[in-house]
Amino acid sequence: MKTIGKIAKELNLSVETIRFYEREGIIQQPQKPLNGYRLYDDSISKQLQFICKAKALGFSLKEVSSLMSMDSNCSQVESLGLQKLNIIQNKISDLQRLEKVIKEMTNSCQSNNDQANCPLIDSLKWS
């Protein structure tokens, strides 16, 4: 059993983040004894680790909450994972398009001999 401060430090979270997860119902807040501090057991620590790992993979708190409630229902987890993968792949495609455009724009600057005008700036201006 650990205090919220100790768990926060171990997981590199703020106490306020843990409190937020409690308020949102993602984790349960332990009962407070009459005299003393709330003590968190290992199950809450493991839930917080799960949340941190899922967030690091790009899952939103809503999605994390859904994952936690699926209780290892692999087909539901797979479906959510595939949805997230599709979103990530679309973002990668968008970023690759942006990369190409910006490369082309900066290449036009390299070949520009007119110091009074910048092709990159000119392409961003309203006509």
Side-chain angles (χ1 to χ4, degrees), residues 15-81:
V15 170
E16 282 307 309
T17 298
I18 296 172
R19 295 271 186 243
F20 174 76
Y21 295 157
E22 290 171 343
R23 285 190 304 274
E24 293 296 309
I26 298 171
I27 62 169
Q28 292 227 355
Q29 184 180 60
Q31 293 294 320
K32 185 175 181 179
L34 293 176
N35 295 323
Y37 298 102
R38 288 184 174 87
L39 295 176
Y40 293 75
D41 62 29
D42 286 340
S43 68
I44 294 175
S45 182
K46 288 178 182 177
Q47 288 174 347
L48 288 166
Q49 288 173 341
F50 180 93
I51 293 166
C52 291
K53 288 178 181 180
K55 283 182 56 65
L57 289 173
F59 288 98
S60 68
L61 277 181
K62 183 178 178 183
E63 292 166 332
V64 171
S65 183
S66 292
L67 285 169
M68 292 173 77
S69 70
M70 289 178 187
D71 196 34
S72 299
N73 183 326
C74 205
S75 62
Q76 286 181 325
V77 172
E78 177 190 23
S79 177
L80 184 60

Side-chain angles (χ1 to χ4, degrees), residues 73-126:
N73 183 326
C74 205
S75 62
Q76 286 181 325
V77 172
E78 177 190 23
S79 177
L80 184 60
L82 289 172
Q83 289 173 20
K84 181 55 77 177
L85 181 60
N86 186 46
I87 291 167
I88 291 168
Q89 289 170 332
N90 287 334
K91 285 181 182 181
I92 289 170
S93 293
D94 290 344
L95 288 171
Q96 287 172 331
R97 279 191 292 279
L98 286 173
E99 177 187 34
K100 182 180 176 191
V101 168
I102 300 230
K103 275 184 180 179
E104 289 170 0
M105 293 171 95
T106 55
N107 285 342
S108 67
C109 288
Q110 291 173 356
S111 61
N112 178 35
N113 293 325
D114 181 4
Q115 294 300 313
N117 293 305
C118 173
L120 195 152
I121 295 294
D122 291 344
S123 70
L124 296 174
K125 290 181 181 175
W126 289 91

